[in-house]
């Protein structure tokens, strides 16, 4: 490995986070989201690796931040009016040390290689935390499904899979959904995969129940995020019951986070989309949540329509973090809580934050929460329930079995409890401070992957 690239000798001396980031940014120019995700992780891993030379001697951090490969491809499809459209597709196969690449596909106009590298990098440690044999990957396209007809979405998905299918497989790489890729898109993608590969295998997860999907997968990320929150609160002698909660987003993760938090006695007072947020001081109860499900999952409408329907609610532009609450569950997208919003939440008395979305809190916001001793559950731990149940979907496909919803939910609860314990093991403070869940998740996720990479030798 070129000397400039690998600086492992420096670890045993005084390599700093700044030095590491200078090298990473030079090798990956113009990728701010990827830089941000790596910086957050390395601020915990560099001190850990310095104390554990078995990792520093093999340049593990540089290897971990370099994807195995990135596949980038043209997706040409035809709109309903007969015009030809061109988008770009990617699959970032980041690290398969502990299992086949596993991670979702995102269809959104904001998708870039940088966004997918940040998501793929986070996925390595998240998947490791679940305890299941899954490596890290992510993919997607800058295609915008909003405003497209079903047939346009179908043609896009088929064109996307026509290229992607040669790079994936049940023992190679197993994609799933993410923003803009729900049941409809996974069905189109899986149908095309099956056609081209001429085999019926569990190569995608998040499938519908009729063709190999798992009960409980739709709910898994939102429920898991609330299970993790519950463990953080219990560890601090608190509980969800009676707390007011702000949720952002109104997609897959947000809907089921609202459902579980309400079931456990919390009162969720906000939901949002990219147009703004609704504030309902009476709480989003089961009937109102059914309205949101129908609005978002079937009608593909806007959250502002909630305020037209329920007089208890008001609609506002922007994000929901100015509303005073005990708990915040960011479940929409990356960088949706900045430092000022974190300070506002703290000033208003927030006690806990559990990240349903990936990297929703900017780094200065995380520092503000930590400084204020708020319980902070980072995405790679708090939202790992989705990929965990995807792993269970793969197991069921391989066994040609279907587990009951109760069985899947029981396994999900066990996995979230185990992730919480691992975070406590590596993140518990010696003082009265709360557990540092960011550090705990980073180190616990890292160790398993690093041990595997070392066992394979320097490749
Ligand atoms: P969905 O597409 O179902 O929903 C996304 C929600 O976030 C929508 O309400 C959307 O509003 C809103 N949103 C998206 N982009 C923005 C933006 N730039 N500003 C404001 N709001 C925005 O996605 P998911 O619920 O599946 O995913 C949400 C987050 O959770 C993502 O970060 C994803 O990576 C993460 N995640 C998802 C998992 C899963 O199993 N689905 C697993 C683990 C993590 P609008 O409709 O207006 O675009």
């Amino acid at each position: 490995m070129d000397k400039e690239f690998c600086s492992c000798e420096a670890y045993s001396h005084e390599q700093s986070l700044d030095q590491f980031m200078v090298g990473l940014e030079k090798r990956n120019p113009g990728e701010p989201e990827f830089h941000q995700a790596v910086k957050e992780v390395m601020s915990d891993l560099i001190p850990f690796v310095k104390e554990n030379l078995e990792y520093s001697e093999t340049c593990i951090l540089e290897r971990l931040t370099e994807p195995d490969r990135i596949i980038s491809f043209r997706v040409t499809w035809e709109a309903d009016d007969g015009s030809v459209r061109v988008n770009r597709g990617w699959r970032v196969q980041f690290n398969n040390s502990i299992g086949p690449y596993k991670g979702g596909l995102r269809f959104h106009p904001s998708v870039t290689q940088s966004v997918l590298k940040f998501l793929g990098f986070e996925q390595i440690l998240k998947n490791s935390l679940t305890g299941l044999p899954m490596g890290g990957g992510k993919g997607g396209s800058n295609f915008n499904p909003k405003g497209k007809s079903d047939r346009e979405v179908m043609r896009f998905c088929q064109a996307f899979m026509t290229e992607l299918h040669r790079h994936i497989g049940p023992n190679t790489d197993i994609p799933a959904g993410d923003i803009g890729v729900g049941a409809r898109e996974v069905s189109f993608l899986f149908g095309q995969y099956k056609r081209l590969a001429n085999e019926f295998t569990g190569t995608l997860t998040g499938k519908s129940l009729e063709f190999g999907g798992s009960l409980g997968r739709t709910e898994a990320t939102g429920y898991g995020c609330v299970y993790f929150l519950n463990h953080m609160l219990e560890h601090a002698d608190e509980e969800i019951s009676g707390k007011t909660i702000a949720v952002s987003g109104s997609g897959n993760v947000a809907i089921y986070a609202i459902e579980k938090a309400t079931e456990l006695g919390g009162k969720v007072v906000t939901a949002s989309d990219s147009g703004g947020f609704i504030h309902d001081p009476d709480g989003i109860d089961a009937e109102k949540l059914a309205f949101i499900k129908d609005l978002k999952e079937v009608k593909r409408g806007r959250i502002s329509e909630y305020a037209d329907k329920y007089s208890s609610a008001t609609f506002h532009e922007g994000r929901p973090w100015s509303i005073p609450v005990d708990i915040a569950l960011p479940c929409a997208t990356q960088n949706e809580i900045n430092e000022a919003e974190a300070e506002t939440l703290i000033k208003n008395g927030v006690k806990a934050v559990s990240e349903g979305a990936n990297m929703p809190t900017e780094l200065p916001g995380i520092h503000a929460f930590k400084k204020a001793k708020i319980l902070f559950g980072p995405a790679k731990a708090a939202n790992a329930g989705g990929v965990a149940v995807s792993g269970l979907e793969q197991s069921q496909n391989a066994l040609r079995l279907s587990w009951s919803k109760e069985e899947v939910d029981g396994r999900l609860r066990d996995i979230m409890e185990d992730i919480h314990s691992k975070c406590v093991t590596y993140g518990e403070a010696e003082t009265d401070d709360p557990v540092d869940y960011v550090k705990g998740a980073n180190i616990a996720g890292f160790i398993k992957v690093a041990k595997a990479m070392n066992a394979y030798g320097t490749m």
Side-chain angles (χ1 to χ4, degrees):
M1 196 177 271
D2 138 8
K3 205 70 194 153
E4 198 179 349
F5 190 91
C6 176
S7 46
C8 60
E9 276 174 18
Y11 289 126
S12 44
H13 302 105
E14 279 308 303
Q15 192 190 27
S16 67
L17 177 61
D18 288 347
Q19 272 175 282
F20 185 91
M21 290 309 299
V22 167
L24 183 108
E25 287 172 21
K26 202 167 143 196
R27 295 193 295 279
N28 302 276
E31 299 190 338
E33 295 86 0
F34 180 53
H35 303 164
Q36 182 184 341
V38 170
K39 190 170 183 185
E40 185 255 289
V41 171
M42 290 305 148
S43 61
D44 292 318
L45 292 190
I46 288 177
F48 179 75
V49 160
K50 274 186 191 169
E51 285 171 16
N52 295 275
L53 289 185
E54 76 226 67
Y55 304 120
S56 62
E57 282 166 4
T58 56
C59 240
I60 211 92
L61 298 184
E62 277 84 355
R63 288 158 66 196
L64 193 67
T65 47
E66 193 64 24
D68 290 351
R69 71 192 63 78
I70 300 175
I71 300 141
S72 157
F73 50 96
R74 183 185 69 235
V75 187
T76 310
W77 57 282
E78 200 177 304
D80 287 343
D81 64 7
S83 61
V84 175
R85 307 287 175 94
V86 184
N87 285 96
R88 187 172 297 170
W90 289 268
R91 186 71 182 165
V92 179
Q93 297 184 330
F94 221 118
N95 188 304
N96 68 353
S97 297
I98 61 167
Y101 306 107
K102 179 93 198 86
L105 296 171
R106 178 177 291 191
F107 293 168
H108 193 273
S110 65
V111 166
T112 59
Q113 184 168 294
S114 168
V115 167
L116 297 177
K117 280 171 76 176
F118 117 63
L119 290 162
F121 176 69
E122 284 280 297
Q123 200 83 44
I124 304 169
L125 303 180
K126 180 190 311 194
N127 292 1
S128 165
L129 278 174
T130 66
L132 300 172
M134 302 184 290
K138 199 83 188 186
S141 172
N142 55 1
F143 171 74
N144 186 2
K146 246 182 247 160
K148 306 287 189 305
S149 71
D150 285 350
R151 298 192 68 75
E152 286 177 322
V153 171
M154 178 190 77
R155 286 195 290 273
F156 174 81
C157 289
Q158 291 176 344
F160 183 88
M161 188 51 83
T162 299
E163 175 56 33
L164 187 66
H165 87 280
R166 73 193 80 241
H167 305 290
I168 61 177
N171 297 309
T172 309
D173 185 351
I174 305 101
D178 191 76
I179 291 178
V181 180
R184 174 183 63 170
E185 290 77 13
V186 169
S187 302
F188 291 145
L189 290 163
F190 183 68
Q192 183 73 344
Y193 176 80
K194 186 176 68 55
R195 204 172 285 133
L196 293 168
N198 191 29
E199 60 178 29
F200 193 113
T201 51
T203 297
L204 272 97
T205 58
K207 300 185 291 296
S208 294
L209 294 178
E210 299 77 20
F211 45 90
S214 173
L215 286 161
R217 174 60 186 92
T218 310
E219 297 87 347
T221 310
Y223 280 17
C225 175
V226 175
Y227 293 151
F228 192 84
L229 166 73
N230 205 21
H231 285 300
M232 289 199 298
L233 290 171
E234 280 178 359
H235 194 75
D237 291 326
E238 291 268 6
E239 59 180 8
I240 293 181
S241 183
K243 302 278 190 305
T244 52
I245 303 173
V247 170
S248 65
S250 50
N252 174 259
V253 180
I255 285 174
Y256 294 97
I258 295 173
E259 185 165 280
K260 186 52 72 178
T262 308
E263 204 182 296
L264 295 182
K267 182 161 82 165
V268 179
V269 295
T270 70
S272 72
D273 62 19
S274 51
F277 71 94
I278 55 101
H279 177 213
D280 186 345
D282 290 354
I284 302 172
D285 60 20
E287 184 218 312
K288 292 170 177 172
L289 186 61
F291 173 81
I292 296 181
K293 278 187 196 173
D294 182 57
L295 180 71
K296 287 293 182 179
E297 292 177 348
V298 183
K299 299 194 175 107
R300 299 182 193 276
R302 309 307 300 157
I303 199 67
S304 56
E305 293 168 50
Y306 180 103
D308 301 335
K309 166 98 178 158
Y310 298 107
S311 58
S312 54
T314 46
F315 175 75
H316 309 264
E317 283 182 358
R319 304 192 282 226
W321 313 126
S322 56
I323 304 296
V325 285
D326 302 311
I327 290 165
L329 303 179
C331 296
T333 191
Q334 66 268 14
N335 293 332
E336 54 164 325
I337 301 183
N338 61 27
E339 186 178 15
E341 289 165 318
E343 293 292 0
T344 303
L345 281 163
I346 295 164
K347 184 167 66 69
N348 287 338
V350 78
K351 293 180 179 61
V353 178
S354 187
E355 295 187 324
N358 281 311
M359 204 169 74
T361 315
E362 293 180 9
L363 266 177
I366 297 178
H367 295 152
F369 287 135
K370 278 191 184 178
K371 194 166 159 222
K373 303 187 179 183
I374 306 299
L375 296 172
F376 181 78
K380 67 176 71 65
N383 75 22
V387 74
V389 173
S390 277
L392 300 180
E393 182 175 329
Q394 286 174 249
S395 304
Q396 293 170 81
N397 292 164
L399 293 167
R400 299 186 194 282
L401 284 176
S402 225
W403 296 331
S404 69
K405 196 164 185 175
E406 292 68 34
E407 171 144 20
V408 174
D409 190 53
R411 287 175 190 258
L412 171 64
R413 284 172 192 265
D414 289 348
I415 289 171
M416 297 315 294
E417 185 177 358
D418 184 52
I419 294 174
H420 179 266
S421 305
K422 286 177 184 154
C423 292
V424 172
T425 302
Y426 292 100
E428 188 121 69
E430 282 161 20
T431 58
D432 284 346
D433 286 354
V435 175
D436 184 343
Y437 287 98
V438 177
K439 179 178 164 195
N442 284 337
I443 295 176
F446 168 73
I447 288 173
K448 185 175 169 189
V449 177
K451 278 187 190 303
M453 289 172 77
N454 273 348
Y456 297 139
T458 48
M459 287 187 59

